[in-house]
Structures are given as C-alpha cells and as structure tokens.
Amino acid sequence: MEKQISIIIPTYNMEAYIGKCLDSLLIPEFDAVEVLVVNDGSKDRSSEIAHSYADRYPGSIRVIDKPNGNYGSCINAALPLATGRYIKVLDADDTFDTAAFSSFVNQIESVHSDAIALPYNKVDEHGEVIRLHDFAKNKPVFGKLYELDAAEGILSDCYIEMHHLAYSKEIFNRFRYVQTEGISYTDNEWTILPLSYCSSIVFLNIPVYKYLIGRQGQTVDSVNIPKFIPTVFDILERLFINNNFATSEFFNKQFFRKMLIERYKMLYWFVKGNLNPQTMDVLSVHDRWLYENFSDCYEILGETRLYPKINYRVITDIRKKKYSPQFRVPLSTRLLAAIRNRLF
C-alpha cells in the first residue's frame, strides 16, 4: 500500500514518552502510515522501546539509531528515507489525537497541495487541552486549495508552527533542505523554509497534534528562556543570510521575508517579557545586525506595540535608552488603567 504520510519522530532520552507517542499513531489505516523514529544517541531505553514497536509493525515503523547530533540531525537523517506522500514531524514527548489522525489519513489521499495546515492543541501531562491553536483570526475555507500568497494572512495571524504543518514530499525535490545540527529550536527552519518553496496549501479542520506543555527540561520551559532567545536569534540570522539570495524559481522570496518578520515579532515579544541584563545585551547585538542587514524588519519591530490595544512602542523606547540593562517599561497612568481593565 502506498504510504500517505511519513511521521518523523526525533527521540532523545524519551523512554517515559515514546511508547505513548507511538500508541497514539496506531489507527485502523496504519498500513498507509510510515513512522521513522530517529534515536539520537539516547542513553536510556528509548531505542529498545522503539525497536519493540518496529518488531510488531515492521511494515510501518522503522528505527534509525545514530550518534547524538541534536534535533536538526534527526530530520536530516530521516528525510531522505521518507516515502510517504506527505511528511510531518512529531516530537517524542508529544502525541497525535488518534481519532483525528485517522480522519486526517483518510482525507489526505484526495489532497494534492504542497502543504497542509491543521489546528493543534496544547495539552498538559494528563492530556487535558490547555489551548487550541486554530485559524480563528483569519478563518480559511477548509478543504480549499489556496495559492501560497493568498494564504499569507491566515498563516501570519495564527503564527504558523511546526505542529500545524505537513509537507508534500515533492517539494524537497525543489531544493536541498538541510536543518541546522547541534543546536535546539531549529523547528523554526522547518516551519519557514520548506513552506517558502510551496506554491499551494490546504487547510483542514482536524486538530491532529497534541503538544505537551509542562514537562520538566523541555526546551520551551521558562528556565530555558535565557538560552532560547540568543539561539533563535542565531537561527533566524542564518535563515536570512543563507536564503536571501536564493534564485530557485520555486522560492517565494517575498513570502519568506514576511514569515521571517513574523518570527522576529514573536522573538521580540519574548524579549519584552524577559528584560534583564543578559537579554538586553543579546538584543543590542542582534538589533544592530537587523539595522544593518534587514532594515525593513528593523523598522517594523520598532512600530510594534506593547499589546494590541496599548499604543506603547517598547522596542523604540529600548533603542532610545541604548539597551540599558536598567530599562523598565514606564507604567504610565494610561498603561496601568489598561492593565487593570484587562484590555489586552
């Protein structure tokens, strides 16, 4: 049977989660699914557990054991081996909604777009939904084939993430995709770059992905924010430099730059919420880089409000104060009133 979708699962020391992750994929249509578990040099029983599933489902599950190289190296190891019509990444500590996944696999046989976008849920350790990340701000027509440029507003408004996306295997014949190895947070590359080589996208109202929030040690844990910010700055700079001069006929440079700006907006939002000497120093360095290399992004960030309903441009004020480690958002009477009234 033709594989409709390949699921790449980067795995490092996930013995407590990998079984649950794989169980969530066991749907009646599993013959149409290919699962590539990439064991990234785990020191626990992750590989053993994954191999036990591969022994039970040899037609659908394959385990790739490799030395540790971090997240991007797992994508790079699995992508050339994927045979499904579509490719989606699933982190080993996350799961799919099994019923939604079954519905998704049944539907994608009739889908012929370069990318598919789906809503996803953030869940806690008990599987309870914390938040649905859908397309409510700029609602698409589900099942409609959109040209990529026509879908830009929808993708920007929902802050498109790895968890939303599945890509057609065909687009990876249009360019050589290599994800950065050795560092975390490279899912930003997976979200922006392949999407910029797509010409069409379909939105399906099937919340497949269940993104676990609250696991101790995960990269989005608040204790990791100080290292999160400079690392993502580096990744976004690398994306800009490596692809700013791409000449492929398939590469949508305008779309790429707009999606990159949206990434910078979110990153600056994180910086605004974590103003301390370390982040201010990082902001000073990378903000200067933006000024010299990506001036349109630099100007847009300067005009971004603190909150949508509070007309205070905090980045402009930080720049005026020359990135002082002692910088504080001025709590004016109007700002305090807005906070009290929860206008944002």
Side-chain angles (χ1 to χ4, degrees):
M1 174 181 288
E2 181 184 22
K3 299 297 184 183
Q4 293 298 317
I5 189 162
S6 295
I7 310 297
I8 298 175
I9 307 180
T11 306
Y12 178 71
N13 290 349
M14 285 289 141
E15 65 178 5
Y17 296 93
I18 187 63
K20 184 178 180 180
C21 176
L22 291 170
D23 283 341
S24 74
L25 306 179
L26 301 179
I27 58 176
E29 302 82 4
F30 200 48
D31 285 346
V33 177
E34 176 182 62
V35 180
L36 300 169
V37 181
V38 187
N39 172 43
D40 193 32
S42 296
K43 299 176 182 178
D44 63 2
R45 296 180 57 247
S46 295
S47 178
E48 177 187 341
I49 295 169
H51 276 286
S52 72
Y53 278 81
D55 290 342
R56 288 159 53 194
Y57 304 98
S60 291
I61 299 179
R62 176 177 178 181
V63 181
I64 303 167
D65 290 301
K66 57 177 285 301
N68 182 259
N70 218 306
Y71 196 88
S73 69
C74 296
I75 306 301
N76 295 338
L79 191 57
L81 304 178
T83 63
R85 292 181 58 239
Y86 286 90
I87 299 170
K88 189 166 178 60
V89 177
L90 170 62
D91 290 344
D93 56 344
D94 296 331
T95 57
F96 280 175
D97 180 297
T98 305
F101 184 44
S102 176
S103 176
F104 177 54
V105 171
N106 277 313
Q107 289 193 39
I108 59 175
E109 188 173 359
S110 60
V111 174
H112 301 283
S113 61
D114 290 338
I116 302 173
L118 311 156
Y120 79 90
N121 284 306
K122 285 184 177 178
V123 301
D124 62 20
E125 286 272 11
H126 305 291
E128 296 296 320
V129 174
I130 299 171
R131 180 184 174 188
L132 171 66
H133 285 255
D134 59 6
F135 313 105
K137 288 185 179 179
N138 194 349
K139 207 170 187 66
V141 177
F142 294 111
K144 174 184 174 180
L145 184 69
Y146 284 86
E147 292 185 1
L148 189 64
D149 287 336
E152 177 201 311
I154 303 170
L155 297 170
S156 297
D157 284 345
C158 76
Y159 185 71
I160 196 74
E161 297 177 78
M162 175 270 285
H163 323 296
H164 288 110
L165 292 167
Y167 291 120
S168 168
K169 180 175 171 57
E170 170 62 27
I171 69 164
F172 295 101
N173 295 326
R174 300 174 183 174
F175 74 113
R176 182 172 178 264
Y177 179 76
V178 178
Q179 199 157 313
T180 301
E181 301 188 6
I183 58 175
S184 300
Y185 311 110
T186 57
D187 56 309
N188 288 280
E189 296 175 329
W190 179 258
T191 301
I192 297 175
L193 188 53
L195 193 57
S196 299
Y197 282 87
C198 295
S199 60
S200 61
I201 188 168
V202 164
F203 295 84
L204 298 178
N205 194 19
I206 312 173
V208 172
Y209 202 108
K210 298 170 73 174
Y211 176 35
L212 175 65
I213 293 294
R215 177 179 68 81
Q216 186 176 8
Q218 67 184 144
T219 55
V220 294
D221 193 319
S222 59
V223 301
N224 289 320
I225 285 179
K227 69 177 181 181
F228 162 88
I229 291 171
T231 302
V232 178
F233 266 125
D234 288 341
I235 290 168
L236 297 186
E237 284 188 14
R238 184 179 290 110
L239 272 170
F240 179 86
I241 293 169
N242 291 344
N243 298 285
N244 193 40
F245 302 105
T247 58
S248 168
E249 62 178 303
F250 296 104
F251 182 63
N252 189 329
K253 183 175 181 179
Q254 182 178 10
F255 177 87
F256 168 80
R257 289 171 72 92
K258 287 181 178 179
M259 289 298 103
L260 195 57
I261 287 172
E262 291 302 317
R263 273 295 183 280
Y264 269 109
K265 283 183 179 179
M266 181 58 70
L267 183 54
Y268 273 53
W269 182 85
F270 272 105
V271 172
K272 289 186 294 185
N274 294 274
L275 293 177
N276 56 54
Q278 181 180 358
T279 56
M280 291 294 272
D281 184 57
V282 170
L283 180 63
S284 174
V285 172
H286 290 278
D287 208 40
R288 172 58 58 176
W289 183 90
L290 274 180
Y291 176 78
E292 295 174 349
N293 296 278
F294 198 1
S295 58
D296 46 344
C297 181
Y298 179 88
E299 295 297 331
I300 289 171
L301 292 170
E303 293 300 311
T304 302
R305 297 179 176 188
L306 176 62
Y307 294 106
K309 295 184 179 181
I310 299 178
N311 188 20
Y312 169 60
R313 291 165 172 77
V314 62
I315 297 300
T316 294
D317 212 357
I318 290 173
R319 290 167 177 169
K320 287 179 180 177
K321 301 294 175 55
K322 300 186 184 302
Y323 315 96
S324 167
Q326 287 76 42
F327 179 87
R328 295 290 184 271
V329 174
L331 295 179
S332 64
T333 302
R334 182 172 178 273
L335 183 57
L336 285 170
I339 293 172
R340 279 197 300 270
N341 294 326
R342 303 174 71 109
L343 291 179
F344 49 87

